[in-house]
Amino acid sequence: MARIGVFICHCGSNIAGVVSVEKVVEAAQTLPGVRVSMDYKYMCSDPGQNLIINTIKEQGLDRVVVGSCSPRMHENTFRASVERAGLNPYMLEIANIREHVSWVHSDNKDAATDKAIKLVELAVAKVRRNEPLQKMYAAIEKRALVIGGGIAGIQAALDIAANGYKVMLVEKEPSIGGRMSQLDKTFPTMDCSACILTPKMVAVAQNKNITLQTYAEVAEVHGYVGNFEVKIKKKARFVNMAKCIGCGVCTEKCPSKKTLSEFNANIAARKAIYTPFPQAVPNIPVIDKDSCLYFATGKCKVCEKVCPAEAIDYTQEDEIITERFGAIVVATGYDLYDHSRYGEYGYGEIPDVITGLQLERMINSGGPTGGHVKRPSDGKEPETVVFIQCVGSRDDAKGKPYCSRVCCMYTAKQALLLKEHYPNSQAFVFYMDIRAAGKGYEEFVQRVQTEYGVVYLRGRVSRIYEKKDHLLVKGVDTLSGQQVEIKADMVVLATGLEPKKEAQNLAQLLHIGYDQNGFYTELHPKLAPVETQIAGVYLAGCCQSPKDIPDTVAQASATAAKVGALLSQESLEIEPMISEVNPLLCSGCRMCYHACPYSAIEMEDKEIRRGDVRCVAKVLTSVCKGCGVCAAGCYCKAIDLKGWTDRQLMEEIGVLRYR
Amino acid sequence: MYKVAYFPGCSLSSTAKEYGMSTELICKDLGIELVKIQDWSCCGATTAHITSELMAAALPAKNLLWAEKQSLPICSPCSACFSRLKLADIDMKRDARLRADVTEVMGEEYKGTIEILHLWQVIQKYGELKPKKELKGLKVASYYGCLLTRPTEVCPDERIEDPQFLDNLVISLGASPVKWSYKTECCGAAFSLTKTDIVHKLSGEILKDAREADADYIIVACPLCHSNLDARQEEMGLDFRIPVLYFTQLIGLALGYGYSELGMMKHFVQAKGLLNSKGLL
Ligand SMILES: Cc1cc2nc3c(=O)[nH]c(=O)nc-3n(C[C@H](O)[C@H](O)[C@H](O)COP(=O)(O)OP(=O)(O)OC[C@H]3O[C@@H](n4cnc5c(N)ncnc54)[C@H](O)[C@@H]3O)c2cc1C
């Protein structure tokens, strides 16, 4: 016969103010298996825990029920007390009589007390069937993979490496640097983006703990926390990295110049053999097969002829490498909203309607116009420039309900830069609300208006009309209630941030979630902002949500700290409340395999009895989160969730049925 | 011959007589038989739909019912009529209660089984257009206005802010469409009668932009747009004149019909001189 102790907590007046604790204690006394039943003002306090420990010892209890707050709050606390008293920590059940009772039924004290009694009865019924469970351990591969080499990936890789762990940084473009390398100055301090980024890029290249794989992508992910096996596709560069000296002669002489430069946001052309920008890391070009004359026509080979290092190799092929990692950081960043979906702004077909990123490239002295803002239609320096915010942000009609967070600030920055470059110019900004919540941000936006004379108009632009030598911008100023018409030389659209096109694909490889807007979902929006629902996979930067550089860097360092905490462990402690397959009952139907949201089920051929080999389900113990979906879905009742077995649940249901 | 139930609407026998004349003329050539709806009723434009939801649906429903009984697609050259027919159909499909109310007052149920088309769509889908004359050298600004393009459910083009269907028609007649950005601007519509200055401003901007874009003519598909753009040029004090034609008249010219057959002398701004100089008459 079980020897159960029931301990009811008052939680000050939190519980006792509504529930009649004495009645609960009294009712528990009579339940089968219960040896003692008592109450205390604060069960989680030191004296409260000692009460439990001493009673276990004195009465020789083997099971405990605590009626208190939610198990989320104090289950671990009471498990530790039970363990200190010499019992297996899993011989404990919590009846949640605070969140589930006193806090929600304060209007009816009698009913609340009845419900509390019922919940205690359920816990007692369940605990009678509890079995001792043992913690498990798995080994850890002490190496991290960082996917994406923007500022988020760079910062995470440097921090993980600084902790002494090996890192592989995989970047799909020919160079690391991400969007930050495309920017001119950065708000609100206006430091030059390249000046603060390039040293970090170089640091990555020189760090002994970091292996860089550029022009590479993740192709497959297997395994689980501490033991991921990842296949990485290295795209053919057609340049031998060991031989190339980065002199750039190949790019200079390459005759193909029609392809638009992605790095320059399509406002200039690039060659077929190219590095995206002069400070690229690694400073080794790639041949873009699609624009290369040799690959198209079989003739040319100019780059091969001029290369002094004999580094050109047209025979290279894509290569797949397989690597093992203990942790994975996803830092794949963002794309910009394609404004050709805005008919009222000209379907992306009016030459002098450009995007903020294009303006960054123009105004950057290293950019294709040498730092001169020239409008695309005729190369004229614009005098009147209209900025339109929230293009592809906060616009339900375009399927983009969220705020992109950085556009208010980058628009203010660009308006300021414009005035600095061209003192005679005048900028107008159409905005919905100004969101400038960072440190020094509001002051910055104020300065842009008062010192630089940028005119802010609260309202939307209804339409941009293309006139012979100017654009007519019609909109509304909702503060004055007036319709506004501005004769502008150029319009700059603050296009919003959206996840990378391939982001969902990568999510599926990694089994991590994404929200309705396609951004990767963190484990908890407040308390676990860099973890994902897959243990060992972490997030950093704009792939999780739009954010500026300060927030991106902070998040990257947070992620690196989490990775460090994981990799520093000797081995991995695994919760024992996970699923277990009884291979004798398993029919191999794969219901559980498909149902598991964590990919914790594998199918394996197993010798069930001698000579009888069957394909049955197997639970990957370090991956299983104990959600129970497999157990619920199993037709053969071959799967049970430890700590939540069918028997335990039936006992609880029994209580509800017969009373 | 492709048969359609023809809903001319009131304008085509009054202010837009020439739209009706040219429509009936060209449809014969295009292999389209216009079966006039018997005892057709007003589409209810403006007055009905700002006063009563039921009347706004019931008036078009009367005409829709006739077409449905003949199992014919229904067609109107007037943008306002087209818009009312289409919206009544959409509203009755969306709102069962409204449909029941309409059934009660009409004494029979409209099932919503027929196609509702603007004349332009009938011509594009079913017309056999074989121009006899190429309208070479003619620069045309296609003006769509609002009723053909808004709300999005009635617009036959995905590019609601910059529709192309009339431009494509212009191309198929051998003329050149001009690129301009006032295609779907409001002409001022019924303010013509109550606040004419608004029409002067709005229609004036449209005319100016067409001129700036170097257009010889503007083509329209709506009687009200036509009257605002054509009849009021004099009052606007513009330093130019630009003829405004119905798209059916442009087709008529390509089919070899004469100036008066197409009712072109009814316009305030005459197109004759220009057409003569281009050798198109
Ligand atoms: C016009 C504009 C101006 C801005 N100005 C400022 C400013 O002044 N100050 C400021 O604080 N912020 C500014 N920002 C925001 C800033 O750009 C971001 O905060 C920052 O770039 C986010 O860094 P990230 O590493 O998360 O993403 P990214 O910079 O997008 O980097 C992601 C990287 O991952 C790579 N990648 C993507 N997918 C894969 C994959 N599947 N496999 C491998 N690699 C992959 C990409 O190629 C890229 O290199 C601005 C943004 C814009 C659009």
Side-chain angles (χ1 to χ4, degrees):
Chain A
M1 189 64 181
R3 299 179 66 85
I4 303 169
V6 176
F7 301 88
I8 307 297
C9 180
H10 293 226
C11 197
S13 62
N14 265 307
I15 294 172
V18 176
V19 172
S20 163
V21 171
E22 308 89 83
K23 283 199 181 143
V24 180
V25 170
E26 213 173 281
Q29 209 97 52
T30 63
L31 296 172
V34 173
R35 290 294 136 129
V36 288
S37 174
M38 49 180 73
D39 58 301
Y40 190 72
K41 210 161 177 57
Y42 290 106
M43 207 56 92
C44 60
S45 68
D46 243 10
Q49 291 191 52
N50 284 334
L51 177 72
I52 297 176
I53 294 169
N54 293 334
T55 316
I56 291 173
K57 288 182 178 158
E58 281 160 18
Q59 304 280 333
L61 302 178
D62 60 4
R63 283 162 167 76
V64 170
V65 167
V66 180
S68 61
C69 51
S70 158
R72 282 220 132 186
M73 194 75 199
H74 276 311
E75 189 168 49
N76 280 334
T77 313
F78 294 123
R79 273 190 191 152
S81 332
V82 170
E83 193 167 18
R84 268 189 286 152
L87 295 185
N88 179 285
Y90 295 92
M91 303 307 275
L92 164 87
E93 287 299 328
I94 305 273
N96 180 358
I97 59 169
R98 193 178 72 173
E99 284 84 343
H100 284 180
V101 182
S102 63
W103 280 2
V104 287
H105 301 303
S106 54
D107 53 339
N108 189 340
K109 296 188 178 178
D110 289 342
T113 302
D114 285 348
K115 183 171 169 186
I117 292 172
K118 190 111 275 173
L119 289 180
V120 169
E121 271 183 63
L122 290 176
V124 167
K126 185 179 175 211
V127 85
R128 274 201 298 267
R129 299 291 181 195
N130 278 23
E131 301 278 348
L133 301 174
Q134 302 307 328
K135 289 218 165 96
M136 294 175 292
Y137 299 89
I140 298 179
E141 184 76 38
K142 304 216 170 226
R143 198 164 164 243
L145 167 68
V146 176
I147 309 173
I151 183 60
I154 289 174
Q155 187 66 43
L158 287 171
D159 286 1
I160 295 168
N163 274 329
Y165 301 107
K166 298 270 184 226
V167 183
M168 181 176 277
L169 178 56
V170 173
E171 165 60 53
K172 79 174 180 14
E173 298 297 329
S175 168
I176 56 170
R179 297 280 175 202
M180 194 178 162
S181 60
Q182 296 175 282
L183 306 181
D184 182 46
K185 305 277 190 304
T186 51
F187 61 74
T189 44
M190 301 306 266
D191 22 13
C192 144
S193 192
C195 311
I196 54 176
L197 174 67
T198 324
K200 283 196 186 271
M201 291 165 57
V202 174
V204 165
Q206 291 176 346
N207 194 308
K208 289 199 176 52
N209 279 341
I210 303 179
T211 318
L212 197 52
Q213 294 290 0
T214 52
Y215 217 40
E217 271 170 64
V218 168
E220 277 178 45
V221 181
H222 300 283
Y224 45 88
V225 54
N227 295 282
F228 292 107
E229 191 183 282
V230 182
K231 287 197 169 38
I232 296 161
K233 180 168 119 187
K234 294 172 68 177
K235 288 176 277 185
R237 233 181 161 98
F238 305 110
V239 174
N240 185 327
M241 294 186 81
K243 287 189 186 165
C244 175
I245 53 171
C247 68
V249 178
C250 52
T251 306
E252 208 184 301
K253 300 287 183 206
C254 172
S256 151
K257 22 180 114 117
K258 291 216 189 82
T259 312
L260 290 176
S261 158
E262 300 85 355
F263 182 80
N264 285 319
N266 294 344
I267 60 166
R270 65 155 167 80
K271 301 293 184 71
I273 182 163
Y274 71 105
T275 51
F277 53 107
Q279 301 80 16
V281 170
N283 186 24
I284 297 176
V286 300
I287 296 180
D288 164 16
K289 215 173 162 176
D290 295 336
S291 32
C292 172
L293 286 174
Y294 170 70
F295 281 107
T297 65
K299 294 198 196 78
C300 185
K301 292 204 175 182
V302 168
C303 50
E304 191 183 55
K305 280 171 217 138
V306 298
C307 177
E310 299 188 340
I312 307 292
D313 177 2
Y314 300 113
T315 64
Q316 265 186 18
E317 280 178 18
D318 292 354
E319 185 191 346
I320 301 270
I321 56 173
T322 306
E323 302 278 339
R324 294 185 66 82
F325 303 101
I328 300 177
V329 174
V330 189
T332 49
Y334 65 94
D335 271 332
L336 287 160
Y337 181 83
D338 171 13
H339 67 277
S340 70
R341 282 176 269 174
Y342 274 85
E344 57 270 44
Y345 306 153
Y347 289 107
E349 291 163 10
I350 304 178
D352 294 336
V353 176
I354 66 169
T355 67
L357 193 62
Q358 289 175 324
L359 185 64
E360 294 277 344
R361 293 314 302 145
M362 278 189 197
I363 216 156
N364 184 278
S365 57
T369 53
H372 299 290
V373 178
K374 294 179 175 172
R375 59 180 205 181
S377 63
D378 57 4
K380 195 185 125 193
E381 275 172 7
E383 270 175 27
T384 309
V385 177
V386 171
F387 290 87
I388 305 176
Q389 293 194 174
C390 299
V391 178
S393 301
R394 302 180 67 194
D395 190 345
D396 260 331
K398 296 288 186 296
K400 296 281 171 188
Y402 58 88
C403 167
S404 289
R405 264 184 76 183
V406 297
C407 324
C408 284
M409 290 307 294
Y410 81 59
T411 299
K413 169 187 79 172
Q414 293 177 343
L416 181 153
L417 284 171
L418 193 77
K419 191 74 182 176
E420 268 187 350
H421 277 59
Y422 305 105
N424 289 330
S425 68
Q426 177 63 54
F428 295 90
V429 177
F430 280 94
Y431 69 100
M432 307 213 303
D433 301 285
I434 301 173
R435 300 201 162 162
K439 188 171 176 176
Y441 286 13
E442 176 61 23
E443 298 90 315
F444 181 82
V445 176
Q446 288 301 333
R447 210 151 58 83
V448 166
Q449 294 178 55
T450 52
E451 277 177 39
Y452 290 83
V454 174
V455 177
Y456 270 68
L457 297 160
R458 186 179 184 279
R460 296 294 284 172
V461 165
S462 61
R463 181 127 198 181
I464 302 170
Y465 301 86
E466 215 179 345
K467 293 294 202 173
K468 269 235 154 71
D469 61 348
H470 68 274
L471 301 171
L472 183 64
V473 180
K474 281 196 194 175
V476 60
D477 174 11
T478 55
L479 295 183
S480 69
Q482 299 289 310
Q483 293 188 24
V484 195
E485 282 187 26
I486 300 172
K487 205 176 149 187
D489 297 308
M490 198 167 87
V491 173
V492 182
L493 306 180
T495 50
L497 277 53
E498 60 181 23
K500 280 271 172 198
K501 308 246 156 3
E502 342 61 78
Q504 301 193 354
N505 226 338
L506 185 64
Q508 275 152 18
L509 291 181
L510 290 160
H511 299 290
I512 59 175
Y514 46 86
D515 61 24
Q516 67 274 30
N517 301 314
F519 291 106
Y520 297 142
T521 321
E522 61 282 2
L523 183 62
H524 188 282
K526 291 161 207 138
L527 302 179
V530 298
E531 295 93 324
T532 64
Q533 93 214 39
I534 298 294
V537 179
Y538 304 91
L539 303 174
C542 290
C543 62
Q544 180 258 342
S545 74
K547 51 180 73 72
D548 54 20
I549 298 165
D551 283 3
T552 298
V553 171
Q555 204 187 20
S557 292
T559 277
K562 291 283 171 189
V563 170
L566 170 68
L567 299 187
S568 66
Q569 293 175 55
E570 281 302 314
S571 55
L572 217 60
E573 192 182 296
I574 303 168
E575 260 298 321
M577 290 168 103
I578 58 171
S579 293
E580 190 175 39
V581 179
N582 180 348
L584 278 175
L585 296 178
C586 178
S587 71
C589 73
R590 289 175 183 256
M591 184 73 180
C592 53
Y593 177 84
H594 293 296
C596 177
Y598 304 100
S599 304
I601 307 254
E602 258 182 12
M603 301 304 296
E604 65 164 5
D605 286 330
K606 193 179 174 102
E607 184 161 8
I608 304 296
R609 286 184 210 87
R610 191 177 307 163
D612 178 9
V613 178
R614 266 191 283 146
C615 180
V616 294
K618 173 186 161 184
V619 177
L620 298 173
T621 48
S622 49
V623 187
C624 177
K625 294 269 177 211
C627 73
V629 166
C630 56
C634 180
Y635 289 125
C636 312
K637 290 192 166 296
I639 306 190
D640 230 345
L641 181 60
K642 288 191 267 182
W644 295 95
T645 59
D646 284 355
R647 263 190 103 174
Q648 288 174 299
L649 298 181
M650 290 313 289
E651 291 285 355
E652 290 191 294
I653 293 167
V655 170
L656 294 172
R657 242 178 87 195
Y658 296 118
R659 296 255 176 160
Chain B
M1 277 303 224
Y2 182 79
K3 264 173 111 177
V4 287
Y6 180 51
F7 180 63
C10 59
S11 305
L12 266 72
S13 46
S14 53
T15 55
K17 219 171 188 142
E18 68 277 26
Y19 194 9
M21 287 162 69
S22 51
T23 297
E24 285 170 26
L25 209 54
I26 63 165
C27 277
K28 284 202 197 84
D29 282 41
L30 298 174
I32 295 163
E33 187 185 338
L34 302 173
V35 185
K36 202 179 259 178
I37 295 173
Q38 266 168 32
D39 193 24
W40 57 267
S41 71
C42 170
C43 71
T46 328
T47 354
H49 69 86
I50 60 169
T51 46
S52 150
E53 201 193 357
L54 176 60
M55 194 164 26
L59 280 171
K62 175 161 189 286
N63 305 299
L64 292 168
L65 274 164
W66 190 86
E68 193 167 55
K69 250 185 262 163
Q70 325 295 315
S71 303
L72 288 177
I74 190 167
C75 147
S76 175
C78 170
S79 296
C81 296
F82 163 71
S83 167
R84 283 316 315 155
L85 293 173
K86 189 90 186 164
L87 286 173
D89 173 79
I90 291 171
D91 287 345
M92 285 188 284
K93 280 176 180 159
R94 206 163 25 204
D95 182 348
R97 187 194 51 78
L98 176 67
R99 177 137 127 197
D101 290 350
V102 171
T103 307
E104 196 184 321
V105 296
M106 298 308 300
E108 52 193 327
E109 190 184 8
Y110 169 64
K111 301 199 181 54
T113 54
I114 53 166
E115 234 183 335
I116 299 161
L117 302 166
H118 187 268
L119 175 67
W120 158 79
Q121 288 171 296
V122 177
I123 294 177
Q124 191 246 359
K125 276 190 167 169
Y126 307 108
E128 294 155 26
L129 184 56
K130 293 185 205 108
K132 295 203 178 79
K133 244 195 254 170
E134 213 180 330
L135 304 181
K136 225 176 186 146
L138 218 56
K139 282 174 277 171
V140 181
S142 308
Y143 175 67
Y144 298 79
C146 60
L147 290 169
L148 263 183
T149 53
R150 288 176 170 73
T152 43
E153 293 106 303
V154 309
C155 183
D157 199 312
E158 267 195 7
R159 282 171 70 103
I160 51 164
E161 304 289 352
D162 179 25
Q164 299 294 327
F165 49 89
L166 290 177
D167 296 75
N168 292 338
L169 180 77
V170 168
I171 295 173
S172 67
L173 300 176
S176 333
V178 302
K179 196 167 175 299
W180 65 316
S181 46
Y182 280 68
K183 286 179 172 182
T184 61
E185 284 308 288
C186 174
C187 68
F191 277 124
S192 201
L193 301 177
T194 50
K195 279 200 169 264
T196 319
D197 55 320
I198 293 185
V199 173
H200 287 164
K201 181 172 187 299
L202 296 178
S203 282
E205 280 178 9
I206 295 168
L207 294 166
K208 280 185 219 150
D209 198 65
R211 172 46 43 110
E212 231 179 77
D214 244 1
D216 301 323
Y217 303 94
I218 296 175
I219 56 165
V220 297
C222 169
L224 189 51
C225 297
H226 188 273
S227 92
N228 282 341
L229 291 174
D230 176 49
R232 298 204 179 272
Q233 287 192 27
E234 190 71 34
E235 303 161 8
M236 288 175 194
L238 305 171
D239 54 4
F240 63 88
R241 294 285 180 275
I242 183 164
V244 184
L245 314 182
Y246 287 104
F247 78 100
T248 45
Q249 293 175 316
L250 197 71
I251 297 178
L253 284 171
L255 293 176
Y257 287 105
Y259 200 73
S260 36
E261 282 174 289
L262 293 167
M264 302 246 263
M265 67 294 172
K266 289 187 181 291
H267 296 332
F268 279 66
V269 179
Q270 289 296 314
K272 197 159 198 166
L274 251 171
L275 287 172
N276 262 329
S277 72
K278 305 244 174 197
L280 293 169
L281 278 181

